[in-house]
Amino acid sequence: MSSLKEAITWSGPAVVILFTLGRAESRLEEGEFDISGVRPDEVGLYEMRSEPRERQAAVREYDLTIPDGCLDAPDFPAYLRECLRKASVRTEGIAWLTFEGAFHFEHLFTDDIADQVYGYCVAGGEPVVVWDLEIMKSDRWKREIREVRSALDRAFPE
């Protein structure tokens, strides 16, 4: 795939997968993703199991079906940053954007999946969204993703 747009729309409509991992049990409601004039056509919510159990984290997957044309808007990455900020605060943990809809605790924020993550926010930090596949393949991006893993391990030790 040559662009993020192609990656997000590979199976049809544009679906942005946003995961949250945190302490709070409360979840975001569908209307909370209506930000700055962008409103998903549909929001799918999936409760995930945190494995191993001793991590004691609430994990959720939100599938945001984005209307046609929004991906081309110059402010779409800003929309994603606000979604990440809101989600990380609500969950009291970490929110991230990924192409992969699977959850495997041991692989979160590791080098082997760094090029599948295109945004993240650790509660209390600034959200980061990368809208360029070349950056996602870079060593710099792998280092950033490893830093998120370190934050996860500190906040949710085994």
Side-chain angles (χ1 to χ4, degrees), residues 1 7-8 10 15-19 48 60-63 96-104 107-108 112-118 136:
M1 287 180 220
I8 291 170
W10 73 270
V15 177
V16 171
I17 301 171
L18 186 149
F19 275 102
M48 311 294 282
R60 292 183 181 80
E61 175 185 340
Y62 298 87
D63 290 355
W96 69 98
L97 303 168
T98 184
F99 300 127
E100 177 58 49
F103 177 84
H104 301 287
H107 292 289
L108 289 181
D112 59 329
I113 64 150
D115 64 350
Q116 295 293 307
V117 176
Y118 59 97
M136 292 170 57

Side-chain angles (χ1 to χ4, degrees), residues 7-153:
I8 291 170
T9 60
W10 73 270
S11 67
V15 177
V16 171
I17 301 171
L18 186 149
F19 275 102
T20 61
L21 182 148
R23 290 177 187 79
E25 292 293 328
S26 64
R27 63 179 190 247
L28 285 109
E29 299 299 324
E30 190 167 324
E32 293 183 78
F33 291 103
D34 300 355
I35 302 170
S36 302
V38 177
R39 177 187 177 126
D41 289 333
E42 183 180 340
V43 177
L45 171 65
Y46 306 94
E47 303 288 330
M48 311 294 282
R49 287 191 173 187
S50 67
E51 298 292 341
R53 282 275 190 215
E54 62 269 10
R55 293 275 187 161
Q56 298 299 311
V59 182
R60 292 183 181 80
E61 175 185 340
Y62 298 87
D63 290 355
L64 311 176
T65 304
I66 303 298
D68 289 339
C70 286
L71 295 178
D72 295 322
D75 58 346
F76 189 68
Y79 167 77
L80 295 176
R81 283 191 294 276
E82 285 308 307
C83 287
L84 287 168
R85 181 187 321 274
K86 185 178 280 196
S88 69
V89 167
R90 174 62 67 85
T91 196
E92 298 175 18
I94 301 170
W96 69 98
L97 303 168
T98 184
F99 300 127
E100 177 58 49
F103 177 84
H104 301 287
F105 219 107
E106 65 273 7
H107 292 289
L108 289 181
F109 309 114
T110 59
D111 284 359
D112 59 329
I113 64 150
D115 64 350
Q116 295 293 307
V117 176
Y118 59 97
Y120 65 86
C121 187
V122 177
E126 286 299 312
V128 174
V129 173
V130 176
W131 205 240
D132 182 315
L133 287 174
E134 290 307 310
I135 293 173
M136 292 170 57
K137 294 175 186 176
S138 72
D139 288 338
R140 180 186 68 110
W141 185 245
K142 284 181 183 177
R143 283 191 302 276
E144 282 191 46
I145 295 301
R146 276 187 234 126
E147 290 174 19
V148 177
R149 179 60 192 219
S150 294
L152 180 148
D153 288 337

